[in-house]
Amino acid sequence: MPSGHPVYLQEMLFESRADNSRVARFRYVMPVIGRDTVGFADVEADFDHLCRTRALPALAKNGETVDQVIISLSDRETEFGVPSDVATQFFEAYSIENGTCIWEGY
């Protein structure tokens, strides 16, 4: 990871939207975020890295085609879609075009 902090994949989720687009969510856990010394700016480069080096290869390996990848980092495992007032979570979204991650500024 560019930040030097360890991360692991909690889960990968797929969803189809009403406009027929497909989204892949890659939910990662990085326990150090949200602490006084590790904020979003400290891990910002990790999102692009995770999209290019982990999400795209995982999609190719599984034969999945999606229009968007959403990368999330959380300081702990959380249940998808359930609000948590104790977890710190950061998100970034990428369009996938020609096998490349294009940052959307989520």
Side-chain angles (χ1 to χ4, degrees):
M1 300 299 297
S3 69
H5 300 297
V7 64
Y8 67 88
L9 180 66
Q10 177 185 341
E11 66 183 339
M12 180 174 47
L13 303 170
F14 294 93
E15 65 184 78
S16 295
R17 294 187 171 158
D19 65 359
N20 292 323
S21 64
R22 290 197 70 225
V23 177
R25 294 178 182 272
F26 288 80
R27 302 183 69 227
Y28 291 93
V29 176
M30 182 182 278
V32 300
I33 66 171
R35 307 244 167 91
D36 292 336
T37 58
V38 182
F40 181 83
D42 300 305
V43 298
E44 188 173 4
D46 293 347
F47 288 95
D48 186 60
H49 178 78
L50 287 168
C51 190
R52 287 184 294 104
T53 66
R54 298 206 185 164
L56 290 179
L59 293 170
K61 179 181 177 183
N62 293 302
E64 295 284 352
T65 301
V66 299
D67 301 290
Q68 185 182 52
V69 167
I70 297 175
I71 305 284
S72 65
L73 290 177
S74 180
D75 66 338
R76 66 194 73 209
E77 290 193 16
T78 59
E79 186 176 344
F80 179 72
V82 176
S84 172
D85 58 352
V86 294
T88 297
Q89 299 181 71
F90 301 137
F91 302 87
E92 284 292 358
Y94 295 85
S95 296
I96 305 302
E97 294 179 18
N98 301 317
T100 303
C101 297
I102 302 169
W103 178 64
E104 292 184 356
Y106 194 66

XYZ file of all heavy atoms in Angstrom:
838
model
N 0.835 -1.178 0.000
C 0.000 0.000 0.000
C 0.883 1.246 0.000
O 1.871 1.287 0.724
C -0.878 0.000 1.248
C -1.818 -1.198 1.371
S -2.992 -1.333 0.031
C -3.896 0.149 0.242
N 0.514 2.239 -0.779
C 1.316 3.457 -0.785
C 1.475 4.091 0.602
O 2.520 4.654 0.907
C 0.546 4.378 -1.734
C -0.151 3.447 -2.665
C -0.528 2.264 -1.809
N 0.454 3.996 1.433
C 0.527 4.596 2.767
C 1.419 3.802 3.713
O 1.830 4.316 4.749
C -0.873 4.678 3.387
O -1.370 3.379 3.689
N 1.664 2.537 3.382
C 2.449 1.677 4.256
C 1.627 0.981 5.333
O 2.169 0.223 6.128
N 0.325 1.216 5.346
C -0.533 0.611 6.360
C -1.153 -0.688 5.841
O -1.589 -0.755 4.697
C -1.641 1.571 6.777
C -1.136 2.848 7.357
N -0.402 2.897 8.524
C -1.230 4.123 6.917
C -0.089 4.150 8.787
N -0.566 4.912 7.817
N -1.231 -1.712 6.694
C -1.829 -2.975 6.258
C -3.336 -2.858 6.050
O -4.017 -2.083 6.725
C -1.509 -3.943 7.406
C -1.219 -3.088 8.586
C -0.724 -1.773 8.063
N -3.833 -3.644 5.096
C -5.245 -3.640 4.741
C -5.642 -5.066 4.364
O -4.814 -5.838 3.885
C -5.515 -2.663 3.578
C -4.824 -3.079 2.312
C -6.990 -2.487 3.328
N -6.899 -5.414 4.622
C -7.393 -6.709 4.148
C -8.813 -6.545 3.612
O -9.550 -5.650 4.024
C -7.313 -7.794 5.226
C -8.227 -7.627 6.416
C -9.530 -8.133 6.400
C -7.789 -6.980 7.563
C -10.362 -7.987 7.498
C -8.616 -6.850 8.665
C -9.901 -7.356 8.624
O -10.723 -7.210 9.708
N -9.165 -7.430 2.680
C -10.485 -7.399 2.064
C -11.499 -8.045 2.991
O -11.360 -9.208 3.361
C -10.453 -8.137 0.724
C -11.771 -8.191 -0.050
C -12.202 -6.800 -0.501
C -11.626 -9.125 -1.252
N -12.513 -7.282 3.372
C -13.606 -7.836 4.167
C -14.581 -8.574 3.262
O -14.970 -9.695 3.543
C -14.343 -6.740 4.928
C -15.529 -7.293 5.706
C -16.368 -6.230 6.382
O -15.935 -5.104 6.601
N -17.584 -6.584 6.728
N -14.986 -7.920 2.162
C -15.908 -8.559 1.232
C -15.970 -7.796 -0.074
O -15.590 -6.632 -0.158
C -17.313 -8.684 1.831
C -18.010 -7.374 2.084
C -19.364 -7.550 2.755
O -19.953 -8.645 2.682
O -19.831 -6.575 3.369
N -16.466 -8.503 -1.080
C -16.689 -7.940 -2.404
C -18.167 -8.157 -2.704
O -18.663 -9.282 -2.595
C -15.804 -8.667 -3.414
C -15.914 -8.197 -4.816
S -14.713 -8.977 -5.954
C -14.823 -10.707 -5.574
N -18.874 -7.088 -3.061
C -20.311 -7.155 -3.321
C -20.599 -6.623 -4.718
O -19.940 -5.695 -5.186
C -21.090 -6.304 -2.309
C -20.898 -6.623 -0.832
C -21.549 -5.543 0.026
C -21.488 -7.985 -0.524
N -21.612 -7.178 -5.348
C -22.039 -6.716 -6.670
C -23.502 -6.312 -6.593
O -24.286 -6.915 -5.873
C -21.885 -7.831 -7.708
C -20.466 -8.212 -7.953
C -19.886 -9.249 -7.251
C -19.697 -7.520 -8.877
C -18.563 -9.595 -7.462
C -18.381 -7.863 -9.099
C -17.817 -8.903 -8.384
N -23.834 -5.271 -7.346
C -25.233 -4.854 -7.418
C -25.543 -4.363 -8.818
O -24.679 -3.822 -9.517
C -25.559 -3.790 -6.376
C -24.831 -2.476 -6.576
C -25.109 -1.470 -5.468
O -24.517 -1.623 -4.393
O -25.914 -0.538 -5.703
N -26.777 -4.571 -9.220
C -27.279 -4.044 -10.490
C -28.203 -2.890 -10.160
O -29.021 -2.994 -9.239
C -28.037 -5.119 -11.261
O -27.166 -6.153 -11.634
N -28.049 -1.822 -10.898
C -28.858 -0.626 -10.651
C -30.014 -0.546 -11.651
O -30.011 -1.239 -12.669
C -27.988 0.619 -10.728
C -26.970 0.651 -9.602
C -26.234 1.945 -9.573
N -25.416 2.028 -8.369
C -24.372 2.807 -8.249
N -24.011 3.599 -9.248
N -23.679 2.832 -7.125
N -30.964 0.319 -11.370
C -32.146 0.485 -12.214
C -31.787 0.885 -13.644
O -32.513 0.560 -14.578
C -33.092 1.506 -11.596
N -30.657 1.567 -13.824
C -30.246 1.993 -15.166
C -29.447 0.894 -15.896
O -28.821 1.155 -16.912
C -29.439 3.287 -15.104
C -28.115 3.129 -14.366
O -27.812 2.015 -13.873
O -27.380 4.126 -14.282
N -29.465 -0.326 -15.346
C -28.768 -1.496 -15.896
C -27.257 -1.439 -15.749
O -26.552 -2.245 -16.349
C -29.144 -1.749 -17.362
C -30.582 -2.175 -17.495
O -31.098 -2.909 -16.646
N -31.247 -1.711 -18.540
N -26.742 -0.497 -14.984
C -25.304 -0.475 -14.715
C -25.010 -1.444 -13.578
O -25.885 -1.769 -12.774
C -24.825 0.933 -14.373
O -25.414 1.382 -13.173
N -23.772 -1.907 -13.537
C -23.342 -2.828 -12.474
C -22.240 -2.175 -11.663
O -21.356 -1.503 -12.193
C -22.820 -4.138 -13.061
C -23.946 -4.961 -13.656
C -23.581 -6.405 -13.868
N -23.457 -7.086 -12.596
C -22.448 -7.908 -12.289
N -21.499 -8.151 -13.146
N -22.386 -8.497 -11.115
N -22.298 -2.412 -10.358
C -21.338 -1.832 -9.421
C -20.703 -2.959 -8.624
O -21.378 -3.896 -8.203
C -22.040 -0.857 -8.450
C -21.063 -0.311 -7.420
C -22.694 0.268 -9.215
N -19.393 -2.853 -8.436
C -18.674 -3.765 -7.550
C -18.175 -2.947 -6.377
O -17.575 -1.883 -6.556
C -17.501 -4.418 -8.267
N -18.447 -3.446 -5.195
C -17.973 -2.786 -3.972
C -16.890 -3.656 -3.352
O -17.122 -4.835 -3.083
C -19.110 -2.604 -2.978
C -20.170 -1.654 -3.468
C -21.309 -1.552 -2.448
N -22.347 -0.685 -2.944
C -22.390 0.622 -2.782
N -21.428 1.217 -2.109
N -23.369 1.336 -3.274
N -15.740 -3.063 -3.160
C -14.627 -3.733 -2.508
C -14.473 -3.082 -1.147
O -14.071 -1.927 -1.048
C -13.353 -3.607 -3.336
C -13.377 -4.442 -4.584
C -14.047 -4.010 -5.716
C -12.736 -5.666 -4.607
C -14.082 -4.791 -6.862
C -12.754 -6.457 -5.749
C -13.439 -6.023 -6.874
N -14.812 -3.837 -0.108
C -14.839 -3.312 1.257
C -13.604 -3.815 1.995
O -13.479 -4.998 2.284
C -16.127 -3.742 1.946
C -17.360 -3.260 1.176
C -18.652 -3.615 1.885
N -18.738 -2.818 3.107
C -19.066 -3.323 4.282
N -19.330 -4.600 4.438
N -19.119 -2.533 5.339
N -12.695 -2.886 2.283
C -11.435 -3.201 2.949
C -11.436 -2.690 4.381
O -12.099 -1.707 4.703
C -10.263 -2.564 2.206
C -9.994 -3.186 0.865
C -10.560 -2.663 -0.288
C -9.172 -4.306 0.755
C -10.315 -3.247 -1.520
C -8.921 -4.889 -0.465
C -9.500 -4.357 -1.605
O -9.266 -4.934 -2.820
N -10.642 -3.352 5.207
C -10.445 -2.928 6.590
C -8.985 -2.512 6.752
O -8.074 -3.247 6.371
C -10.794 -4.058 7.583
C -10.478 -3.632 9.016
C -12.256 -4.457 7.442
N -8.813 -1.310 7.288
C -7.493 -0.770 7.619
C -7.604 -0.214 9.034
O -8.043 0.920 9.236
C -7.088 0.321 6.623
C -5.708 0.894 6.874
S -5.292 2.234 5.714
C -4.760 1.316 4.285
N -7.258 -1.019 10.034
C -7.517 -0.650 11.432
C -6.942 0.687 11.898
O -7.476 1.265 12.848
C -6.900 -1.806 12.223
C -6.963 -2.971 11.281
C -6.709 -2.372 9.919
N -5.914 1.214 11.244
C -5.293 2.448 11.739
C -6.027 3.723 11.360
O -5.759 4.777 11.941
C -3.810 2.568 11.272
C -2.994 1.408 11.772
C -3.724 2.730 9.778
N -6.961 3.662 10.386
C -7.620 4.915 9.981
C -8.533 5.430 11.084
O -9.019 4.677 11.918
C -8.394 4.788 8.650
C -9.580 3.832 8.780
C -7.478 4.431 7.518
C -10.503 3.837 7.590
N -8.746 6.719 11.036
C -9.621 7.341 12.006
C -8.954 7.669 13.331
O -9.520 8.366 14.157
N -7.773 7.185 13.501
C -7.044 7.527 14.723
C -6.517 8.949 14.552
O -6.501 9.498 13.458
C -5.900 6.535 14.934
C -6.386 5.096 14.904
C -6.198 4.395 16.228
N -6.916 3.143 16.290
C -6.427 1.975 15.956
N -5.189 1.876 15.521
N -7.160 0.889 16.073
N -6.077 9.527 15.589
C -5.635 10.928 15.533
C -4.568 11.194 14.484
O -4.468 12.293 13.963
C -5.106 11.370 16.905
C -6.212 11.454 17.932
O -7.387 11.629 17.547
O -5.917 11.335 19.134
N -3.770 10.196 14.160
C -2.650 10.439 13.254
C -2.873 9.961 11.829
O -2.083 10.273 10.954
C -1.377 9.760 13.794
O -1.635 8.366 13.925
C -0.972 10.346 15.130
N -3.932 9.182 11.542
C -4.146 8.645 10.197
C -5.533 9.045 9.693
O -6.535 8.446 10.052
C -3.981 7.111 10.161
C -4.166 6.595 8.735
C -2.616 6.695 10.690
N -5.541 10.073 8.843
C -6.795 10.559 8.263
C -6.882 10.232 6.787
O -6.026 9.535 6.235
N -7.903 10.758 6.143
C -8.135 10.481 4.734
C -6.924 10.847 3.869
O -6.530 10.085 2.990
C -9.384 11.211 4.227
C -9.663 10.930 2.787
C -10.341 9.780 2.417
C -9.237 11.801 1.796
C -10.581 9.500 1.088
C -9.476 11.535 0.462
C -10.153 10.379 0.101
N -6.353 12.008 4.096
C -5.218 12.454 3.280
C -4.043 11.478 3.358
O -3.290 11.327 2.397
C -4.766 13.850 3.708
N -3.911 10.787 4.481
C -2.807 9.841 4.654
C -2.987 8.563 3.852
O -2.013 7.865 3.572
C -2.663 9.474 6.134
C -2.388 10.684 7.000
O -1.412 11.408 6.711
O -3.162 10.923 7.946
N -4.228 8.235 3.492
C -4.498 6.976 2.778
C -5.110 7.216 1.397
O -5.486 6.267 0.709
C -5.411 6.046 3.614
C -4.728 5.670 4.920
C -6.769 6.675 3.882
N -5.188 8.449 0.982
C -5.832 8.803 -0.286
C -5.271 8.033 -1.478
O -6.016 7.538 -2.326
C -5.730 10.310 -0.515
C -6.526 10.806 -1.680
C -6.541 12.321 -1.767
O -5.872 13.005 -0.959
O -7.238 12.824 -2.655
N -3.964 7.894 -1.564
C -3.347 7.177 -2.692
C -3.652 5.685 -2.661
O -3.576 5.008 -3.695
C -1.835 7.396 -2.690
N -4.036 5.164 -1.512
C -4.350 3.741 -1.390
C -5.581 3.352 -2.211
O -5.680 2.226 -2.699
C -4.568 3.351 0.065
C -3.302 3.457 0.900
O -2.197 3.591 0.326
O -3.423 3.421 2.140
N -6.529 4.261 -2.376
C -7.749 3.956 -3.121
C -7.439 3.625 -4.576
O -7.911 2.615 -5.109
C -8.745 5.112 -3.037
C -9.369 5.257 -1.697
C -8.846 6.134 -0.765
C -10.476 4.507 -1.339
C -9.416 6.271 0.489
C -11.053 4.627 -0.093
C -10.519 5.509 0.828
N -6.666 4.472 -5.233
C -6.294 4.224 -6.627
C -5.502 2.920 -6.733
O -5.727 2.115 -7.632
C -5.485 5.396 -7.175
C -5.195 5.242 -8.653
O -6.160 5.159 -9.436
O -4.003 5.181 -9.011
N -4.593 2.728 -5.801
C -3.787 1.505 -5.771
C -4.680 0.269 -5.641
O -4.502 -0.717 -6.368
C -2.789 1.573 -4.616
C -1.943 0.370 -4.468
N -0.853 0.119 -5.267
C -2.040 -0.690 -3.617
C -0.312 -1.032 -4.915
N -1.015 -1.544 -3.913
N -5.647 0.303 -4.745
C -6.548 -0.833 -4.553
C -7.402 -1.083 -5.788
O -7.650 -2.240 -6.156
C -7.434 -0.612 -3.328
C -6.734 -0.742 -1.986
C -7.618 -0.207 -0.855
C -6.347 -2.191 -1.719
N -7.847 -0.036 -6.439
C -8.642 -0.210 -7.653
C -7.816 -0.863 -8.754
O -8.228 -1.859 -9.356
C -9.217 1.126 -8.121
S -10.452 0.935 -9.449
N -6.627 -0.326 -8.997
C -5.788 -0.833 -10.092
C -5.196 -2.208 -9.828
O -5.155 -3.043 -10.724
C -4.638 0.137 -10.384
C -5.046 1.417 -11.082
C -3.851 2.299 -11.420
N -3.180 2.804 -10.216
C -2.021 2.336 -9.732
N -1.385 1.375 -10.341
N -1.494 2.840 -8.635
N -4.705 -2.436 -8.601
C -3.935 -3.657 -8.345
C -4.735 -4.787 -7.712
O -4.273 -5.921 -7.708
C -2.711 -3.369 -7.451
O -3.159 -2.978 -6.145
C -1.830 -2.282 -8.063
N -5.897 -4.478 -7.170
C -6.688 -5.545 -6.538
C -8.068 -5.703 -7.160
O -8.487 -6.809 -7.468
C -6.790 -5.306 -5.041
C -5.411 -5.330 -4.379
C -5.470 -5.710 -2.958
N -4.156 -5.599 -2.327
C -3.991 -5.587 -1.032
N -5.025 -5.674 -0.223
N -2.775 -5.501 -0.525
N -8.803 -4.595 -7.330
C -10.164 -4.704 -7.863
C -10.166 -5.161 -9.320
O -10.866 -6.118 -9.660
C -10.900 -3.375 -7.712
N -9.412 -4.486 -10.174
C -9.414 -4.866 -11.588
C -8.970 -6.315 -11.804
O -9.641 -7.052 -12.541
C -8.557 -3.905 -12.417
C -9.115 -2.490 -12.592
C -8.154 -1.646 -13.415
C -10.498 -2.508 -13.224
N -7.890 -6.782 -11.169
C -7.522 -8.193 -11.335
C -8.586 -9.152 -10.791
O -8.835 -10.206 -11.383
C -6.214 -8.325 -10.555
C -5.632 -6.949 -10.567
C -6.825 -6.038 -10.475
N -9.231 -8.808 -9.688
C -10.279 -9.677 -9.125
C -11.469 -9.762 -10.073
O -12.044 -10.844 -10.263
C -10.726 -9.162 -7.757
N -11.837 -8.650 -10.675
C -12.932 -8.653 -11.642
C -12.590 -9.522 -12.842
O -13.405 -10.338 -13.291
C -13.258 -7.229 -12.084
C -13.837 -6.310 -11.016
C -13.874 -4.872 -11.509
C -15.227 -6.778 -10.600
N -11.379 -9.362 -13.358
C -10.949 -10.159 -14.512
C -10.913 -11.647 -14.171
O -11.379 -12.489 -14.958
C -9.582 -9.685 -14.996
N -10.385 -11.975 -13.018
C -10.282 -13.373 -12.588
C -11.651 -14.034 -12.483
O -11.815 -15.203 -12.822
C -9.563 -13.452 -11.235
C -9.426 -14.855 -10.700
C -8.725 -14.858 -9.363
C -8.669 -16.271 -8.808
N -8.063 -16.290 -7.478
N -12.646 -13.269 -12.018
C -13.996 -13.794 -11.834
C -14.901 -13.586 -13.042
O -16.088 -13.905 -12.984
C -14.635 -13.168 -10.584
C -13.942 -13.614 -9.324
O -13.860 -14.807 -9.043
N -13.426 -12.664 -8.563
N -14.341 -13.015 -14.124
C -15.125 -12.787 -15.337
C -16.248 -11.786 -15.152
O -17.264 -11.857 -15.831
N -16.069 -10.843 -14.258
C -17.092 -9.833 -13.961
C -16.847 -8.561 -14.774
O -15.715 -8.109 -14.899
C -17.088 -9.472 -12.475
C -17.469 -10.601 -11.550
C -18.965 -10.875 -11.537
O -19.742 -10.089 -12.126
O -19.351 -11.886 -10.928
N -17.915 -7.992 -15.281
C -17.865 -6.708 -15.967
C -18.742 -5.739 -15.185
O -19.905 -6.039 -14.922
C -18.384 -6.830 -17.413
O -17.588 -7.788 -18.101
C -18.316 -5.495 -18.128
N -18.172 -4.610 -14.802
C -18.925 -3.603 -14.045
C -18.667 -2.226 -14.642
O -17.686 -2.019 -15.361
C -18.551 -3.603 -12.544
C -18.868 -4.946 -11.901
C -17.105 -3.230 -12.326
N -19.566 -1.316 -14.327
C -19.429 0.069 -14.782
C -18.725 0.934 -13.746
O -18.127 1.947 -14.090
C -20.819 0.657 -15.068
C -21.553 -0.154 -16.117
O -21.133 -0.107 -17.281
O -22.522 -0.853 -15.760
N -18.827 0.515 -12.490
C -18.260 1.315 -11.419
C -17.708 0.401 -10.323
O -18.265 -0.662 -10.044
C -19.344 2.219 -10.817
C -18.834 3.182 -9.767
C -19.955 4.019 -9.181
O -20.973 3.498 -8.734
N -19.777 5.340 -9.202
N -16.608 0.857 -9.737
C -16.030 0.196 -8.566
C -16.045 1.213 -7.437
O -15.633 2.364 -7.618
C -14.583 -0.276 -8.838
C -13.876 -0.657 -7.545
C -14.571 -1.442 -9.809
N -16.535 0.785 -6.289
C -16.485 1.621 -5.095
C -15.558 0.924 -4.109
O -15.761 -0.245 -3.768
C -17.875 1.838 -4.478
C -18.759 2.583 -5.484
C -17.759 2.610 -3.153
C -20.189 2.764 -5.063
N -14.534 1.648 -3.702
C -13.568 1.147 -2.728
C -13.881 1.808 -1.395
O -14.018 3.036 -1.324
C -12.114 1.512 -3.123
C -11.774 1.037 -4.539
C -11.120 1.006 -2.078
C -11.521 -0.419 -4.688
N -14.011 1.004 -0.357
C -14.200 1.578 0.972
C -13.119 1.071 1.907
O -12.657 -0.064 1.786
C -15.586 1.253 1.534
O -15.733 -0.123 1.752
N -12.708 1.941 2.797
C -11.783 1.594 3.876
C -12.497 1.885 5.185
O -13.087 2.951 5.351
C -10.513 2.452 3.821
C -9.525 2.221 2.697
C -8.382 3.226 2.797
C -8.990 0.813 2.741
N -12.439 0.933 6.086
C -13.045 1.093 7.400
C -12.033 0.676 8.457
O -11.169 -0.159 8.186
C -14.298 0.223 7.502
O -14.908 0.364 8.765
N -12.157 1.234 9.633
C -11.223 0.865 10.696
C -11.597 -0.458 11.363
O -10.845 -0.984 12.165
C -11.119 1.976 11.743
C -12.398 2.190 12.525
O -13.484 1.813 12.037
O -12.319 2.756 13.628
N -12.768 -1.009 11.010
C -13.235 -2.287 11.569
C -14.226 -2.914 10.594
O -14.758 -2.221 9.727
C -13.908 -2.066 12.920
C -15.193 -1.259 12.792
C -15.716 -0.719 14.098
N -14.837 0.378 14.486
C -14.605 0.738 15.736
N -15.192 0.106 16.730
N -13.793 1.726 16.013
N -14.478 -4.183 10.737
C -15.488 -4.829 9.910
C -16.855 -4.286 10.296
O -17.151 -4.096 11.470
C -15.435 -6.348 10.069
C -14.190 -6.932 9.447
C -14.230 -8.442 9.300
O -15.330 -9.046 9.392
O -13.160 -9.024 9.082
N -17.670 -4.011 9.281
C -19.022 -3.513 9.487
C -19.961 -4.294 8.576
O -19.535 -4.865 7.574
C -19.131 -2.010 9.144
O -18.759 -1.819 7.780
C -18.256 -1.161 10.053
N -21.223 -4.267 8.918
C -22.227 -4.899 8.072
C -22.640 -3.896 7.003
O -22.957 -2.734 7.312
C -23.428 -5.319 8.913
C -24.448 -6.107 8.142
C -25.593 -6.594 9.007
O -25.476 -6.586 10.247
O -26.619 -6.982 8.425
N -22.636 -4.339 5.747
C -22.963 -3.448 4.651
C -24.382 -2.894 4.801
O -25.322 -3.630 5.076
C -22.842 -4.160 3.303
C -23.191 -3.269 2.141
C -22.339 -2.265 1.754
C -24.389 -3.423 1.466
C -22.652 -1.418 0.706
C -24.722 -2.592 0.417
C -23.850 -1.591 0.034
N -24.510 -1.583 4.645
C -25.804 -0.923 4.684
C -26.332 -0.614 6.066
O -27.408 -0.030 6.199
N -25.579 -0.993 7.082
C -26.015 -0.732 8.460
C -25.167 0.403 9.025
O -23.944 0.278 9.106
C -25.875 -2.003 9.334
C -26.240 -1.693 10.776
C -26.720 -3.130 8.773
N -25.786 1.519 9.394
C -25.021 2.646 9.934
C -24.269 2.259 11.209
O -24.742 1.452 12.006
C -26.083 3.694 10.252
C -27.287 3.296 9.467
C -27.220 1.808 9.329
N -23.103 2.851 11.367
C -22.310 2.634 12.577
C -21.830 3.983 13.075
O -21.245 4.754 12.323
C -21.105 1.739 12.282
O -20.245 1.687 13.392
N -22.078 4.249 14.337
C -21.622 5.515 14.893
C -20.230 5.400 15.516
O -19.708 6.370 16.051
C -22.627 6.069 15.905
C -22.898 5.121 17.059
O -22.444 3.960 17.025
O -23.586 5.546 18.008
N -19.621 4.210 15.419
C -18.285 4.035 15.977
C -17.219 3.770 14.906
O -16.042 3.956 15.158
C -18.241 2.907 17.037
C -19.080 3.294 18.245
C -18.674 1.591 16.460
N -17.627 3.342 13.729
C -16.661 3.022 12.676
C -16.267 4.268 11.895
O -17.091 5.130 11.620
C -17.234 1.986 11.720
N -15.001 4.338 11.536
C -14.527 5.354 10.610
C -14.481 4.706 9.233
O -13.920 3.620 9.075
C -13.112 5.836 10.992
O -13.177 6.447 12.280
C -12.566 6.819 9.980
N -15.094 5.355 8.246
C -15.132 4.801 6.900
C -14.826 5.888 5.882
O -15.329 7.004 5.993
C -16.516 4.207 6.607
C -16.890 3.074 7.533
C -18.245 2.504 7.192
O -18.394 1.845 6.175
N -19.227 2.771 8.038
N -14.018 5.530 4.898
C -13.698 6.414 3.781
C -14.088 5.683 2.497
O -13.953 4.457 2.411
C -12.204 6.737 3.729
C -11.648 7.396 4.968
C -10.437 6.987 5.484
C -12.313 8.435 5.591
C -9.892 7.587 6.608
C -11.778 9.051 6.716
C -10.562 8.627 7.228
N -14.534 6.435 1.474
C -14.993 5.851 0.216
C -14.434 6.626 -0.972
O -14.270 7.837 -0.895
C -16.522 5.937 0.109
C -17.261 5.273 1.221
C -17.539 5.964 2.392
C -17.691 3.971 1.096
C -18.236 5.361 3.430
C -18.391 3.354 2.125
C -18.662 4.048 3.283
N -14.220 5.910 -2.067
C -13.923 6.527 -3.357
C -14.595 5.688 -4.433
O -14.733 4.465 -4.291
C -12.420 6.612 -3.641
C -11.707 7.699 -2.880
C -12.075 9.120 -3.277
O -12.880 9.331 -4.198
O -11.540 10.034 -2.640
N -15.010 6.328 -5.518
C -15.672 5.644 -6.624
C -14.872 5.827 -7.905
O -14.269 6.892 -8.128
C -17.086 6.187 -6.807
N -14.898 4.794 -8.730
C -14.174 4.790 -9.997
C -15.067 4.254 -11.104
O -15.728 3.232 -10.922
C -12.932 3.887 -9.914
C -11.909 4.386 -8.928
C -12.000 4.067 -7.586
C -10.860 5.201 -9.348
C -11.081 4.529 -6.669
C -9.935 5.672 -8.432
C -10.052 5.336 -7.093
O -9.136 5.809 -6.196
N -15.069 4.945 -12.234
C -15.659 4.386 -13.443
C -14.640 3.421 -14.015
O -13.429 3.637 -13.880
C -15.938 5.474 -14.482
O -16.889 6.377 -13.999
N -15.125 2.377 -14.647
C -14.229 1.417 -15.274
C -14.421 1.525 -16.777
O -15.511 1.260 -17.298
C -14.528 -0.022 -14.785
C -14.462 -0.091 -13.261
C -13.565 -1.007 -15.437
C -13.130 0.331 -12.658
N -13.379 1.970 -17.460
C -13.417 2.129 -18.914
C -12.117 1.615 -19.500
O -11.033 1.989 -19.030
C -13.607 3.594 -19.296
C -14.952 4.167 -18.881
C -15.108 5.626 -19.254
O -14.349 6.113 -20.126
O -15.986 6.284 -18.679
N -12.225 0.757 -20.491
C -11.054 0.195 -21.169
C -10.070 -0.439 -20.185
O -8.861 -0.284 -20.330
C -10.358 1.250 -22.027
C -11.260 1.830 -23.080
O -12.014 1.099 -23.733
N -11.224 3.135 -23.257
N -10.601 -1.100 -19.170
C -9.743 -1.784 -18.201
C -8.972 -0.858 -17.289
O -7.966 -1.258 -16.710
N -9.454 0.377 -17.126
C -8.757 1.370 -16.297
C -9.719 1.957 -15.261
O -10.905 2.137 -15.529
C -8.243 2.521 -17.198
O -7.399 1.981 -18.203
C -7.470 3.541 -16.400
N -9.174 2.265 -14.105
C -9.935 2.934 -13.046
C -9.874 4.442 -13.269
O -8.782 5.017 -13.337
C -9.355 2.615 -11.677
S -9.438 0.879 -11.218
N -11.031 5.081 -13.365
C -11.096 6.527 -13.538
C -11.811 7.117 -12.334
O -12.998 6.867 -12.101
C -11.839 6.905 -14.837
C -11.122 6.270 -16.039
C -11.952 8.420 -14.980
C -11.895 6.341 -17.332
N -11.076 7.879 -11.539
C -11.585 8.434 -10.291
C -12.797 9.333 -10.558
O -12.764 10.182 -11.449
C -10.479 9.218 -9.602
C -10.873 9.874 -8.324
C -11.261 9.271 -7.172
C -10.930 11.276 -8.078
N -11.544 10.207 -6.203
C -11.342 11.455 -6.736
C -10.658 12.396 -8.845
C -11.497 12.707 -6.166
C -10.799 13.649 -8.266
C -11.214 13.786 -6.946
N -13.848 9.164 -9.762
C -15.064 9.967 -9.905
C -15.212 11.032 -8.837
O -16.131 11.829 -8.894
C -16.301 9.053 -9.864
C -16.420 8.162 -11.059
C -17.697 7.339 -11.043
O -18.471 7.393 -10.047
O -17.931 6.624 -12.019
N -14.349 11.031 -7.838
C -14.467 12.036 -6.782
C -15.699 11.826 -5.926
O -16.515 12.708 -5.770
N -15.815 10.650 -5.365
C -16.981 10.239 -4.576
C -17.233 11.147 -3.405
O -16.422 11.629 -2.732
C -16.751 8.802 -4.089
C -17.953 8.111 -3.549
C -19.016 7.798 -4.383
C -18.038 7.750 -2.218
C -20.109 7.134 -3.892
C -19.132 7.081 -1.727
C -20.174 6.782 -2.567
O -21.266 6.106 -2.086
